Amino acid sequence: MKMKKINKLTGKLFNSIRTRMILIYVLTTALMSITSVFILVISSNLITKMDDMFSANVQVEEFLTTMQSVDENLSKYLSTDDSDSLLEYYKTRDVFRDRAHMMFDEKRGIYDQDDLIYRDLTNMVESYIEETEAAVESKRLGNANQYIIQYTNAIQIADYMNTY
């Protein structure tokens, strides 16, 4: 008997147009709210990733600009034997090395692909600096053939870094 009364009551309750309209409104509003929150979370995540990407791009541009400054100062010193160019080379070399270590020494995971790339770039930076320093030393000793070879090696490493 109680079941019949409950069925009769719910049947009357959901038979009215007003109740159905309210139910549809509530369900539609809830669905739209859930969808809006989902879109908000995805958008926030996308914005964070884009911000990280732009930040990394700025760092890479600064890195490449500094590497070009090192190359320009070294080239100027090797061609003119100007002591000011040598001092500028040492300054930009130190900034370049610091910037490279700051960018590439972060480790994200032990087997992360990015870690391998960063390790390779760090090794290339060190090789580049070693070649440029060897070219300066050969220039100081007056060994023209040797500093040309070492400078050519440094340019080749710089090209690899640009490509990488």
Side-chain angles (χ1 to χ4, degrees):
M1 188 72 138
K2 282 187 176 181
M3 266 321 241
K4 283 186 180 182
K5 283 185 180 181
I6 293 175
N7 286 339
K8 213 178 203 187
L9 182 62
T10 57
K12 284 183 182 180
L13 185 63
F14 288 112
N15 276 340
S16 79
I17 293 177
R18 181 175 183 224
T19 307
R20 287 182 184 176
M21 294 287 283
I22 291 172
L23 184 63
I24 289 171
Y25 174 77
V26 168
L27 290 175
T28 305
T29 304
L31 184 62
M32 288 177 60
S33 297
I34 290 170
T35 304
S36 296
V37 169
F38 181 71
I39 290 172
L40 180 67
V41 168
I42 289 174
S43 297
S44 176
N45 191 13
L46 180 65
I47 289 170
T48 301
K49 287 182 180 182
M50 291 294 288
D51 188 41
D52 291 344
M53 188 174 71
F54 286 132
S55 175
N57 194 26
V58 167
Q59 282 184 329
V60 167
E61 287 299 319
E62 289 173 352
F63 171 78
L64 292 175
T65 302
T66 307
M67 185 172 66
Q68 286 175 337
S69 295
V70 170
D71 184 54
E72 288 170 6
N73 289 320
L74 177 62
S75 175
K76 193 173 182 181
Y77 169 70
L78 293 176
S79 62
T80 64
D81 205 21
D82 181 29
S83 62
D84 290 335
S85 298
L86 181 61
L87 291 175
E88 282 302 309
Y89 158 74
Y90 285 132
K91 287 178 190 175
T92 54
R93 178 205 61 194
D94 292 340
V95 169
F96 177 65
R97 180 182 281 153
D98 292 342
R99 184 164 282 148
H101 285 293
M102 185 176 61
M103 282 178 63
F104 303 132
D105 281 351
E106 297 179 10
K107 301 295 182 210
R108 286 161 178 72
I110 193 163
Y111 294 111
D112 191 354
Q113 182 68 26
D114 289 341
D115 286 347
L116 298 175
I117 291 170
Y118 294 152
R119 188 176 319 128
D120 288 347
L121 281 168
T122 302
N123 291 337
M124 281 191 236
V125 167
E126 290 302 321
S127 296
Y128 174 77
I129 290 173
E130 286 173 12
E131 289 295 329
T132 60
E133 288 175 353
V136 167
E137 189 61 32
S138 294
K139 174 71 174 181
R140 284 183 170 174
L141 295 174
N143 190 346
N145 289 333
Q146 190 64 29
Y147 81 73
I148 290 172
I149 291 170
Q150 290 162 328
Y151 180 65
T152 304
N153 290 342
I155 290 173
Q156 201 172 32
I157 294 169
D159 287 342
Y160 290 147
M161 284 189 283
N162 274 323
T163 303
Y164 225 56

